[in-house]
């Protein structure tokens, strides 16, 4: 363990853009009975079949939540009717914690004692700033007298809106009746009602944007996410294209003075248009990408590999996922590593000329599984010593299928089985934890 920590302690990371507050509810049978009691079960079943992609009415939420429970598939669906906020606010949540990939990764990496973590997020209210851990290595870029000044993130807040996502967690085996239909949770999982306040835009404030080349010089790598919450059109007439163009320029500004590695964390994106733009503008501009199996299937679908995409969705076979990762690598010359995480394994696919050895690539993934197991077991990683808990978690029962480490036809392929926690405290943020751990560790070898 010390070897891992020793390796990352000199690293400097930049992360942007998305932070929010996660209000978490651990669902019980009674909660579900209460939710459905005023509806005709057939109306809910009909809605489940319609598979609404946004939440405009309460029943859209109930239907997608039940679908998620029944299939065991985690999902994130945006709330597009802001007037439902009051109803969602009345629900009693069990806890509030940091949400959004950039926020989660900033707290995790500051806790793991990286030399420096710089976080940028376009809205930082006091409530949001209070969600950050209080360490000296966690900094926010401020501009004073036309100079870039890095300050403690907790002191950098201003009067801005707060984005709150509501997360409904369920445990495998949770059981209830929808009319005569018995619903049983197939896996541990969660359903996220994502809030997308119109006033929060995924962009840098102009005054800070001009310092991006300087921020790039201060770090070794950048972990970027949040593009999935860009809307197609805003009330002031700005469009998704406007924000994606700008975001691509931001990526170029970051490497203007120093060639740092940039990672895109893909996320579940319900709108096909937005998914395509993430691929066209962002995936085409980074060195590293992290995805789960649904996300890689979605990318392959957009690239025109429908059959492979369907197979991955249905069977999650490692051979298909490796094939898919190779296709993505071949389609984007800028990429040097494609990382995919599934319940049973974590995978790196790189080109054969990648400077890291197979053993070094494996070490990155080992580190990532320990982080994920720790977070799943304890709910959060609060100090470095917590990682011993993750280290004690054994690899999952299918482990023999997933230790892979080989070169083949111009590729380097490495996978490591996950250390699977049977009764996780929480599953939120596990993917971000895996991806950021693997990425920062990867960059530490360069
Ligand atoms: P994502 O779908 O991006 O949030 O990533 C979830 C990832 O977290 C999975 O692919 C697994 O590798 C990991 N994971 C999920 N559940 C557990 C668990 N109970 N114990 C350990 N790792 C888990």
């Amino acid at each position: 363990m010390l070897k891992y920590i020793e390796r990352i302690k000199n690293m400097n990371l930049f992360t942007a853009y998305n932070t929010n507050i996660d209000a978490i509810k651990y669902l019980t049978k009674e909660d579900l009975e209460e939710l459905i009691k005023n509806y005709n079960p057939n109306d809910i079943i009909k809605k489940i079949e319609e598979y609404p992609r946004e939440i405009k009415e309460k029943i859209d939420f109930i239907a997608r939540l039940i679908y998620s429970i029944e299939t065991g598939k985690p999902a994130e669906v945006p709330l597009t009717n802001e007037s439902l906020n009051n109803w969602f606010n009345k629900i009693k949540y069990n806890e509030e914690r940091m949400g959004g990939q950039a926020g989660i990764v900033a707290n995790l990496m500051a806790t793991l004692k990286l030399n420096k973590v710089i976080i940028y997020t376009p809205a930082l209210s006091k409530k949001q700033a209070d969600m950050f851990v209080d360490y000296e290595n966690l900094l926010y870029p401020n501009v004073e007298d036309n100079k870039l000044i890095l300050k403690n993130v907790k002191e950098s807040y201003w009067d801005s809106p707060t984005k709150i996502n509501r997360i409904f967690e369920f445990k495998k085996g949770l059981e209830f009746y929808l009319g005569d239909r018995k619903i049983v949770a197939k896996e541990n999982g969660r359903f996220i009602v994502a809030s997308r306040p119109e006033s929060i835009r995924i962009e840098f404030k102009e005054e800070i944007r001009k310092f991006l080349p300087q921020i790039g010089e201060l770090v070794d790598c950048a972990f970027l996410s949040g593009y999935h919450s860009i809307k197609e059109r805003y009330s002031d007439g700005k469009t998704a294209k406007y924000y994606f163009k700008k975001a691509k320029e931001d990526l170029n500004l970051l490497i203007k003075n120093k060639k740092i590695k940039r990672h895109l964390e893909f996320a579940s994106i319900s709108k096909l248009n937005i998914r395509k733009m993430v691929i066209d503008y962002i995936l085409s501009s980074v060195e590293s990408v992290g995805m789960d199996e649904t996300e890689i299937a979605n990318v392959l679908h957009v690239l025109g590999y429908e059959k492979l995409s369907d197979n991955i969705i249905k069977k999650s076979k490692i051979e298909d996922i490796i094939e898919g990762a190779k296709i993505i690598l071949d389609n984007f010359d800028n990429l040097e590593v494609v990382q995919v995480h599934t319940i049973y394994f974590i995978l790196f696919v790189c080109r054969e000329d990648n400077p890291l050895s197979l053993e070094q690539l494996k070490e990155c993934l080992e580190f990532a599984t320990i982080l994920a197991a720790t977070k799943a077991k304890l709910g959060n990683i609060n100090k470095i010593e917590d990682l011993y808990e993750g280290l004690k978690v054994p690899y999952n029962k299918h482990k023999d299928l997933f230790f892979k480490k080989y070169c083949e036809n111009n590729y380097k392929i490495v996978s490591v089985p996950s250390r699977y926690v049977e009764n996780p405290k929480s599953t939120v943020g596990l993917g971000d934890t895996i991806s950021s751990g693997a990425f920062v560790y990867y960059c530490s070898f360069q």
Side-chain angles (χ1 to χ4, degrees):
M1 202 67 247
L2 289 174
K3 172 181 82 176
Y4 294 121
I5 295 303
E6 194 57 28
R7 172 153 279 292
I8 59 170
K9 77 167 200 244
N10 296 324
M11 295 299 287
N12 300 289
L13 171 75
F14 175 60
T15 182
Y17 299 71
N18 55 335
T19 60
N20 62 266
I21 291 175
D22 282 343
I24 304 179
K25 167 113 193 132
Y26 299 102
L27 285 172
T28 61
K29 178 171 180 276
E30 291 71 32
D31 293 327
L32 286 148
E33 286 167 354
E34 179 66 28
L35 270 178
I36 60 180
K37 75 172 188 208
N38 295 327
Y39 291 89
N40 178 336
N42 290 331
D43 291 342
I44 299 180
I45 290 168
K46 207 165 133 223
K47 261 290 169 220
I48 294 176
E49 280 155 16
E50 277 173 29
Y51 194 75
R53 287 176 187 273
E54 6 185 300
I55 298 171
K56 291 194 195 128
E57 297 175 73
K58 267 189 254 174
I59 193 168
D60 299 332
F61 158 64
I62 295 168
R64 286 295 307 265
L65 171 66
I66 294 176
Y67 179 82
S68 201
I69 294 174
E70 202 168 30
T71 55
K73 285 200 192 299
E76 175 166 342
V77 182
L79 174 67
T80 50
N81 176 356
E82 294 197 21
S83 72
L84 283 179
N85 268 317
N86 280 342
W87 181 76
F88 277 109
N89 283 342
K90 285 200 198 107
I91 296 174
K92 280 245 165 305
Y93 297 92
N94 301 84
E95 58 182 281
E96 282 191 342
R97 56 157 87 160
M98 173 66 85
Q101 281 101 348
I104 290 171
V105 168
N107 273 356
L108 171 67
M109 291 300 158
T111 302
L112 294 180
K113 300 209 182 325
L114 260 64
N115 184 52
K116 191 171 15 172
V117 178
I118 305 176
I119 160 89
Y120 179 82
T121 189
L124 188 62
S125 63
K126 168 115 184 25
K127 190 172 161 82
Q128 185 68 63
D130 283 344
M131 291 283 154
F132 283 97
V133 292
D134 198 2
Y135 291 126
E136 281 177 5
N137 58 352
L138 180 51
L139 301 161
Y140 192 87
N142 290 261
V143 176
E144 287 174 14
D145 295 332
N146 213 12
K147 282 202 200 76
L148 176 71
I149 315 260
L150 299 177
K151 276 194 185 166
N152 185 319
V153 60
K154 283 184 165 301
E155 291 159 14
S156 302
Y157 63 86
W158 67 93
D159 185 15
S160 59
T162 308
K163 167 172 159 152
I164 301 181
N165 278 351
R166 285 90 175 188
I167 304 194
F168 298 85
E169 294 240 11
F170 45 86
K171 291 255 179 284
K172 183 173 175 175
L174 170 73
E175 205 180 283
F176 63 99
Y177 278 89
L178 178 59
D180 308 334
R181 180 156 151 189
K182 183 173 170 185
I183 313 274
V184 184
K186 198 166 169 215
E187 296 287 346
N188 297 309
R190 83 269 164 180
F191 180 77
I192 303 179
V193 178
S195 102
R196 303 274 157 87
E198 149 85 30
S199 59
I200 299 181
R201 310 289 170 93
I202 295 296
E203 63 176 344
F204 286 94
K205 275 196 268 178
E206 265 327 303
E207 54 169 19
I208 289 184
R209 195 163 187 244
K210 56 175 194 258
F211 289 104
L212 280 177
Q214 204 173 318
I215 291 176
E217 274 181 271
L218 292 170
V219 296
D220 307 294
C221 49
F223 186 96
L224 300 146
S225 57
Y227 307 101
H228 57 285
S229 58
I230 295 179
K231 292 178 194 248
E232 276 172 295
R233 184 171 287 281
Y234 293 84
S235 56
D236 56 8
K238 294 211 170 97
T239 59
K241 196 163 177 193
Y242 167 86
Y243 287 104
F244 276 102
K245 269 186 160 165
K246 249 180 112 180
K248 190 178 174 87
E249 286 163 20
D250 295 345
L251 286 169
N252 289 332
L253 287 170
L254 271 176
I255 55 161
K256 194 164 168 221
N257 296 345
K258 182 179 164 193
K259 298 280 169 267
I260 62 167
K261 305 279 176 215
R262 298 156 299 172
H263 172 96
L264 162 66
E265 187 58 14
F266 223 91
S268 115
I269 309 173
S270 50
K271 288 232 157 62
L272 190 58
N273 239 351
I274 301 295
R275 199 184 286 163
K276 278 192 175 136
M277 287 196 217
V278 173
I279 295 172
D280 290 347
Y281 287 86
I282 312 297
L283 186 61
S284 62
S285 307
V286 291
E287 287 70 36
S288 164
V289 62
M291 298 173 277
D292 66 17
E293 70 262 51
T294 313
E295 290 152 8
I296 190 174
N298 288 341
V299 173
L300 291 166
H301 195 95
V302 170
L303 297 179
Y305 296 84
E306 283 94 2
K307 182 133 193 293
L308 184 59
S309 167
D310 284 354
N311 282 344
I312 292 177
I313 295 270
K314 287 194 193 118
K315 303 193 197 118
S316 291
K317 270 171 51 186
I318 188 164
E319 294 75 16
D320 290 339
I321 295 180
I322 291 174
E323 183 61 31
K326 287 178 181 169
I327 290 172
I328 292 175
L329 207 52
D330 289 348
N331 270 271
F332 297 93
D333 287 344
N334 53 292
L335 279 176
E336 61 177 63
V337 55
V338 174
Q339 178 260 114
V340 189
H341 43 272
T342 75
I343 285 201
Y344 294 116
F345 62 88
I346 310 175
L347 167 79
F348 264 166
V349 176
C350 326
R351 294 194 184 81
E352 197 170 24
D353 62 0
N354 188 288
L356 271 67
S357 66
L358 290 173
E359 198 46 49
Q360 287 170 330
L361 291 168
K362 178 167 180 252
E363 222 175 289
C364 302
L365 301 180
E366 289 282 6
F367 180 59
T369 66
I370 296 168
L371 293 183
T374 309
K375 189 163 167 105
K377 190 167 173 187
L378 305 179
N380 200 13
I381 300 176
N382 293 315
K383 51 185 186 315
I384 286 185
E385 292 71 30
D386 287 349
L387 300 189
Y388 289 111
E389 290 302 316
L391 198 58
K392 281 192 250 163
V393 176
Y395 295 112
N396 69 69
K397 55 181 187 259
H398 306 293
K399 62 177 186 297
D400 296 339
L401 298 172
F402 302 127
F403 276 114
K404 293 188 190 286
K405 202 172 75 177
Y406 58 97
C407 292
E408 179 198 75
N409 299 337
N410 310 324
Y411 301 100
K412 275 183 182 165
I413 296 157
V414 180
S415 73
V416 161
S418 64
R419 296 169 183 267
Y420 193 74
V421 177
E422 283 303 329
N423 288 306
K425 260 264 182 66
S426 161
T427 60
V428 183
L430 285 180
D432 314 330
T433 300
I434 291 170
S435 291
S436 60
F439 173 63
V440 169
Y441 208 89
Y442 176 89
C443 295
S444 75
F445 283 109
Q446 310 252 336

